[in-house]
């Protein structure tokens, strides 16, 4: 007599089939006690301790000074800075109200944003282009010579850089003298407020474009050379290899540096603009850093300058968080990502 048939549904196993193995959870890692980790890694901790102390003293502790943005701070009250802080009156957001009602502040804010946007378009891509050109040079000796030449201006001070531009483009400079000898009217370059944004960008390019290629050259060195060889064997030309191999390999670094640049968008420089402010006028050369110097430090109104600095920091934080979010939406890691 045959056994009765057993209905087997899609979710039921046959009687003669072995049961599937149970899914095991990965074993939890045993947490190492703090004392054991300190004993194990004390050499590394001792190595990074000086840098950590410098960062703590000069970067994090001064953040506490932003509290004077909410005070009518007077450094001459009391016998020490702590007494000056405790004796100064709290005025809440009064400094910010004065700041936002000041037309000079908004002029500096607009100039800063305009210079940042202009340099993002005409300066930021140049280190990438220079790095790609240097990477494709066949002669290592020629590559080293070019790198040395373009790196050198980074070590010049802004006083020397601006003096060089004055000697070349100033009213008594080489270009003006050559145009006068040719019977032409010399161009007004160093004192023209209408072209000042082009001038400061050209100065920044000459000084720092070579230094900015270091990170991109390091990123290019990590690209697998077999990808280029395989693409060349498949018939891909130089431009197609650049578009499909080189630029995708640089994209994470480009996104990271772009996010960091946006976070620092309101800090376009201090010395460069301070040295040329009198030549072109405040309306063209005043940026937030020079505004804080002239309207706060030079006048002793430290709470007013702290309010401007805190506003700049908050705007920079918002920009860097927004840019990092956009990077995540585009599939890039950005400066951080949630695990």
């Amino acid at each position: 007599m045959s056994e009765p048939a057993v209905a087997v549904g899609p979710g039921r196993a046959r009687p003669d089939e072995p049961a599937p193995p149970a899914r095991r959870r990965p074993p939890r890692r045993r947490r190492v006690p703090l004392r054991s980790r300190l004993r194990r890694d004390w050499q590394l901790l001792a190595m990074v301790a000086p840098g950590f102390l410098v960062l703590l003293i000069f970067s994090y502790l001064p953040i506490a000074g932003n509290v004077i943005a909410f005070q009518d701070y007077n450094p001459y009250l009391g016998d020490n800075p702590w007494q000056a802080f405790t004796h100064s009156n709290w005025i809440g957001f009064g400094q910010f109200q004065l700041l936002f009602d000041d037309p000079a502040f908004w002029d500096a804010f607009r100039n800063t944003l305009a210079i940042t946007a202009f340099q993002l378009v005409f300066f930021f891509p140049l280190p990438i282009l220079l790095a790609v050109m240097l990477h494709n040079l066949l002669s290592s000796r020629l590559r080293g010579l070019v790198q040395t030449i373009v790196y050198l201006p980074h070590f010049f001070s802004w006083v020397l850089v601006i003096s060089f531009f004055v000697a070349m483009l100033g009213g008594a400079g080489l270009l003006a003298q050559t145009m006068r000898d040719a019977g032409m009217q010399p161009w007004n370059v160093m004192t023209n407020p209408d072209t000042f944004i082009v001038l400061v960008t050209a100065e920044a390019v000459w000084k720092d474009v070579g230094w900015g290629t270091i990170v991109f050259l390091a990123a290019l060195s990590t690209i697998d050379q077999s990808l280029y060889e395989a693409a060349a064997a498949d018939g891909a030309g130089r431009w197609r290899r650049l578009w499909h191999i080189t630029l995708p390999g640089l994209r994470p670094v480009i996104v990271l540096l772009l996010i960091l640049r946006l976070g620092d968008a309101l800090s376009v420089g201090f010395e460069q603009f301070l040295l040329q402010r009198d030549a072109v006028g405040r309306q063209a050369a005043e940026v937030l850093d020079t505004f804080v110097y002239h309207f706060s430090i030079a006048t002793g109104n430290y709470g007013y300058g702290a309010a401007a600095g805190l506003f700049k920091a908050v705007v920079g934080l918002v920009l860097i968080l927004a840019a990092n979010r956009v990077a995540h939406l585009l599939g890039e890691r950005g400066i951080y990502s949630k695990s």
Side-chain angles (χ1 to χ4, degrees):
M1 184 175 180
S2 61
E3 296 181 359
V6 179
V8 179
R12 299 177 57 184
R14 296 180 181 271
D16 55 347
E17 289 183 356
R23 180 178 298 178
R24 297 182 179 179
R25 293 183 178 180
R28 296 183 60 181
R29 296 180 60 185
R30 184 173 176 270
R31 186 176 181 84
V32 181
L34 177 60
R35 182 176 300 178
S36 300
R37 283 181 287 168
L38 292 177
R39 188 182 301 111
R40 180 190 62 191
D41 300 329
W42 70 269
Q43 297 95 338
L44 297 176
L45 295 175
M47 184 179 64
V48 302
F52 173 76
L53 290 177
V54 170
L55 188 66
L56 178 66
I57 295 173
F58 294 101
S59 297
Y60 284 97
L61 288 182
I63 294 177
N66 286 322
V67 73
I68 68 174
F70 305 94
Q71 288 183 305
D72 184 14
Y73 181 73
N74 187 349
Y76 304 106
L77 293 178
D79 298 329
N80 52 64
W82 176 252
Q83 291 184 0
F85 167 74
T86 56
H87 288 79
S88 297
N89 296 325
W90 291 88
I91 59 175
F93 291 94
Q95 299 285 11
F96 292 92
Q97 183 177 358
L98 294 175
L99 185 71
F100 296 150
D101 291 338
D102 191 349
F105 168 75
W106 292 113
D107 289 340
F109 184 71
R110 283 190 293 268
N111 288 340
T112 305
L113 289 182
I115 293 171
T116 298
F118 191 85
Q119 292 186 354
L120 279 177
V121 176
F122 295 101
F123 179 24
F124 184 80
L126 294 182
I128 305 173
L129 178 62
L130 181 59
V132 172
M133 293 174 60
L134 291 175
H135 183 71
N136 291 332
L137 286 177
L138 298 178
S139 173
S140 59
R141 182 175 299 179
L142 179 59
R143 182 188 308 171
L145 176 62
V146 174
Q147 286 178 336
T148 302
I149 293 174
V150 298
Y151 291 171
L152 186 61
H154 173 77
F155 300 98
F156 297 162
S157 67
W158 276 113
V159 175
L160 185 59
V161 171
I162 294 173
S163 299
F164 173 80
F165 272 79
V166 169
M168 297 297 296
L169 305 177
L174 179 63
L175 178 62
Q177 292 292 346
T178 303
M179 296 181 69
R180 289 192 186 97
D181 294 340
M184 302 170 61
Q185 183 68 23
W187 294 338
N188 183 16
V189 178
M190 299 300 298
T191 58
N192 187 0
D194 296 331
T195 59
F196 180 72
I197 189 172
V198 180
L199 174 64
V200 294
T201 303
E203 293 169 350
V205 167
W206 185 76
K207 185 176 188 296
D208 289 326
V209 69
W211 188 256
T213 62
I214 294 178
V215 176
F216 296 108
L217 284 173
L220 286 171
S221 64
T222 63
I223 299 177
D224 190 357
Q225 295 299 316
S226 63
L227 296 177
Y228 292 102
E229 297 172 1
D234 291 338
R238 178 175 298 178
W239 292 107
R240 295 186 68 85
R241 295 197 298 268
L242 173 66
W243 183 258
H244 294 285
I245 299 177
T246 304
L247 292 182
L250 289 176
R251 187 172 61 184
V253 178
I254 294 174
V255 171
L256 175 63
L257 294 182
L258 183 59
I259 293 174
L260 295 177
R261 181 66 189 93
L262 289 176
D264 204 30
L266 300 186
S267 298
V268 293
F270 174 71
E271 292 179 68
Q272 180 186 13
F273 296 90
L274 181 67
L275 293 171
Q276 301 178 94
R277 183 176 182 266
D278 294 336
V280 297
R282 182 184 64 82
Q283 294 295 329
E286 191 80 282
V287 294
L288 287 179
D289 291 334
T290 58
F291 173 84
V292 170
Y293 173 76
H294 285 103
F295 290 87
S296 172
I297 298 176
T299 61
N301 191 1
Y302 298 104
Y304 191 70
L310 187 58
F311 171 79
K312 185 179 78 169
V314 171
V315 172
L317 177 62
V318 172
L319 287 175
I320 201 170
L321 292 177
N324 193 70
R325 178 60 178 170
V326 173
H328 290 169
L329 294 177
L330 296 177
E332 297 294 337
R333 181 177 178 85
I335 58 173
Y336 71 91
S337 61
K338 296 181 179 179
S339 57

